Every structure is written in structure tokens, then in C-alpha cells.
Amino acid sequence: VNQILLLLLVLTVCAILYNKVHQVSTALKNETVDLESPEEMEEEIPVVICAAAGRMGGAIAAISSIYSNTEANVLFYVIGMKTTIPHIRKWIENSKLKEIKFKVVEFNPMVLKGKIRQDASRPELLQPLNFVRFYLPLLVQKHEKVIYLDDDIIVQGDIQELYDTKLAPGHAAAFSDDCDLPSTHEMVRSVGMQNTYMGFLDYRKQAIRDLGISPSTCSFNPGVIVANMTEWKHQRITKQLEKWMQRNVEENLYSSTLGGGVATSPMLIVFHGKYSSINPMWHIRHLGWSPDTRYSEHFLQEAKLLHWNGRYKPWDYPSVHTDLWENWFIPDPSGKFKLTRPDS
């Protein structure tokens, strides 16, 4: 009897130990699964877009196109002025965009005081939100890498591809060269656009000549930026840009009568020879420079990102390739923003 009782006791102890070991093993297995869960490991992609008064439909279409064409974990930073923030927030929250992850951030125009020379020829280029790209580290603080997009774009590719753009060591940003895509050269010539530094800086001024930059140097377009925030802050890019803004106020080194207005020129100076390149198909531009000149439909279908830079915006009339833009536009629930069309 004692032997039988001893055997039962040994079996009971073994059973208890087995259960304990199995529970620990299962817990460790579950913990490993959780740690490797795609949802937990997926990197957040911050995308900065401005929502300016009179142009909010552009921001909405841009956000809609990005959200619809990716499975990536995108966080939208929607930058606006105090008076426009309630409108854009309601537009997002009362449309099919209510599922997106977004933060609305107010831009304080006081940071621009004394840094902008008034120019009546193209006053729209002096709007405060045009300079948001100068202040990315102040507006987006917890990310190492950030995408900035103008509001007059749509994205037809997966934004993850743009985010994966490689920046060379020591480079704070990547842009698209204005000479990088032969298929756009014909359009550039036909509408008289500038794609060199001569079109943006006044080479009659000694301060510009002292830079030692050839006027025939190819320019770049800062409407699409992939930025490294660590390098941006380390190189004090914002301070450098502000320095050239202030010098322009004092010396009129560039103006909005030139090709890119007052926001592009200081970036051309500060980033000269110190930026990486974005895949050309991720920035097909100049769609807003002429109401008559068009790209081929096949070429536009292959493009990853379309940019209506120039005077002729796709929400206004006249404009070209508006059908591609309207695919992503979401009407304003409040009815305040309306498209301008021939029959409207």
C-alpha cells in the first residue's frame, strides 16, 4: 500500500510540474508573438500637409489619395491657421476620412515677422503656410524622418516607397531635381519655366554672386520633401533659412517675380550640393503652369505623384488633368469649399 501511495504522489508531482512548465512555455510563446506582431512593429509614417483658406480641398484630395493607396501606418499632420483649423477638422471628421490617424497643428505666423519682403505681384506666395516646410522640427517633434507635401498634389503610389527614400549621410533632406526627367523637358520649354538657379536668384546682387553657385545649376522643387529631423536640427537648417529670409528683406536677393517666389529660393541656397534625390516618378510636376499644355495620359498613369505647381490649380478653372485630381476629392460637408468648373 505504501508503495502504491508513493507512486501516486510521484505521479501527482510530475503532473503539477508538467503543467507549470507548459504554462510558462505557452506564455513565452505568446509574448514572442506579441513582440513580433506586425501592428506593434509597423513604423509610423508622418506626412505633413498644410490646409490653407481657399485651398482646403487640395489638402483633402492629397490626404484621400495617400490613405487610399497604402496599407502603411500613416499619421497625417494637418497644419493650419487658427481661423481655418475648425473647418478642416470638421471636414475630416464628417467624411470618409474619419478613419485616418491625424493631428491638427496650428501654425503661428508671428515666427515670420520681419522675414518676408512684401511683393504685390504674387501675394499668394507670401501666405504664412508656404513657410511651414522651414519649421518642420518645431511642428513634428517625435519623428526621425518626415515627409512634407504641398497641398496641390495627389499620390498614386504607395507612400511607403517615398518614405523609404535613402538619404545620404549628412543630408537633412531629399528633393526632386528639376532636370531629372527628360519627359518633362518639353513642357518646361513650352511654358517658359525656369529650372536653374538663374530663375530664382538675382545674380545682379553681390551676395548671390558670392555664393559661388553657377546660375546654370539645376534647381530642385521643395513641394515634396523627405527630411531627416536629426540632421535638420544638427545643421540648424531653420536658422539658416531664416538668415536668408532676413537678408532678402534687406537686400531683395530674390522675389516672387522670379520662378519660385520667396519660399523656394532660400532652400536652394541652404541645400545647394547637400541633398539626396527622390525618384523622379515620385514628383511629376508643372501640371499647374499652363491651362493648355498636357502630359500624355500613359505617362501620368505611370507616375507615383502628380503636382499642380503653378497658377492653375485643379480645383479652379482653367486647369489640366482635373479628372485625375477629382478621383480623390471629397466634397466639403459644410458646403463652404466648392470646385470652380465651366458649368458651375
Side-chain angles (χ1 to χ4, degrees), residues 47 49-51 56-57 59-64 67 75-80 84-105 330-334:
V47 176
I49 295 180
C50 296
M56 285 190 197
I60 289 292
I63 293 169
S64 172
Y67 181 65
L75 173 60
F76 293 97
Y77 283 83
V78 184
I79 316 298
T84 59
I85 282 177
H87 186 187
I88 193 69
R89 185 186 295 278
K90 287 181 180 178
W91 197 335
I92 293 173
E93 292 177 346
N94 292 286
S95 70
K96 63 182 182 181
L97 292 179
K98 61 186 176 184
E99 302 298 327
I100 70 170
K101 291 171 60 178
F102 75 102
K103 293 181 179 180
V104 178
V105 181
I330 300 170
D332 182 1
S334 74

Side-chain angles (χ1 to χ4, degrees), residues 69-331:
N69 287 307
T70 188
E71 297 294 326
N73 180 22
V74 181
L75 173 60
F76 293 97
Y77 283 83
V78 184
I79 316 298
M81 307 292 283
K82 186 175 183 179
T83 54
T84 59
I85 282 177
H87 186 187
I88 193 69
R89 185 186 295 278
K90 287 181 180 178
W91 197 335
I92 293 173
E93 292 177 346
N94 292 286
S95 70
K96 63 182 182 181
L97 292 179
K98 61 186 176 184
E99 302 298 327
I100 70 170
K101 291 171 60 178
F102 75 102
K103 293 181 179 180
V104 178
V105 181
E106 179 183 344
F107 182 69
N108 184 354
M110 290 304 295
V111 299
L112 302 174
K113 188 175 181 180
K115 302 182 182 74
I116 301 176
R117 167 183 282 272
Q118 294 304 312
D119 193 321
S121 59
R122 289 194 66 185
E124 75 275 11
L125 296 177
L126 301 177
Q127 295 301 314
L129 293 182
N130 280 335
F131 301 92
V132 159
R133 71 198 90 187
F134 290 16
Y135 297 94
L136 292 177
L138 300 179
L139 299 165
V140 183
Q141 298 179 357
K142 69 171 186 173
H143 301 279
E144 168 71 12
K145 198 175 187 182
V146 173
I147 294 174
Y148 167 87
L149 300 174
D150 276 352
D151 58 8
D152 51 356
I153 66 100
I154 62 165
V155 172
Q156 299 185 138
D158 187 342
I159 198 71
Q160 181 75 55
E161 293 179 27
L162 181 60
Y163 185 75
D164 289 341
T165 297
K166 300 296 184 185
L167 273 68
H171 285 178
F175 306 97
S176 291
D177 286 314
D178 282 331
C179 309
D180 60 6
L181 205 58
S183 51
T184 68
H185 294 175
E186 181 66 30
M187 178 172 281
V188 170
R189 287 191 294 270
S190 67
V191 298
M193 286 180 292
Q194 295 287 343
N195 61 358
T196 65
Y197 273 56
M198 175 66 83
F200 296 87
L201 305 177
D202 188 349
Y203 276 83
R204 295 171 299 179
K205 302 296 173 65
Q206 188 62 43
I208 297 300
R209 294 198 299 272
D210 288 344
L211 291 170
I213 302 173
S214 169
S216 62
T217 300
C218 185
S219 56
F220 59 81
N221 187 298
V224 176
I225 307 172
V226 181
N228 180 313
M229 292 293 92
T230 300
E231 281 295 336
W232 192 292
K233 288 181 280 191
H234 175 70
Q235 298 179 33
R236 299 170 63 84
I237 296 295
T238 297
K239 290 295 183 184
Q240 292 188 57
L241 292 167
E242 288 183 327
K243 182 193 78 171
W244 284 103
M245 291 170 73
Q246 289 168 333
R247 287 199 67 175
N248 183 57
V249 169
E250 298 162 3
E251 304 174 49
N252 197 20
L253 303 176
Y254 49 85
S255 72
S256 58
T257 57
L258 295 173
V262 293
T264 297
S265 300
M267 299 199 83
L268 291 177
I269 295 172
V270 170
F271 284 101
H272 174 252
K274 295 185 293 185
Y275 65 91
S276 298
S277 296
I278 291 173
N279 182 327
M281 296 305 287
W282 266 102
H283 195 176
I284 303 303
R285 45 211 179 275
H286 315 316
L287 277 74
W289 273 87
S290 168
D292 304 310
T293 308
R294 302 172 64 92
Y295 285 113
S296 76
E297 294 300 324
H298 175 72
F299 175 68
L300 294 182
Q301 288 170 6
E302 296 294 316
K304 304 288 189 178
L305 183 149
L306 303 177
H307 188 184
W308 279 261
N309 58 311
R311 294 176 184 267
Y312 303 98
K313 302 304 182 187
W315 53 85
D316 282 334
Y317 180 83
S319 185
V320 295
H321 303 296
T322 53
D323 54 325
L324 293 174
W325 182 85
E326 282 192 47
N327 285 338
W328 308 107
F329 176 68
I330 300 170

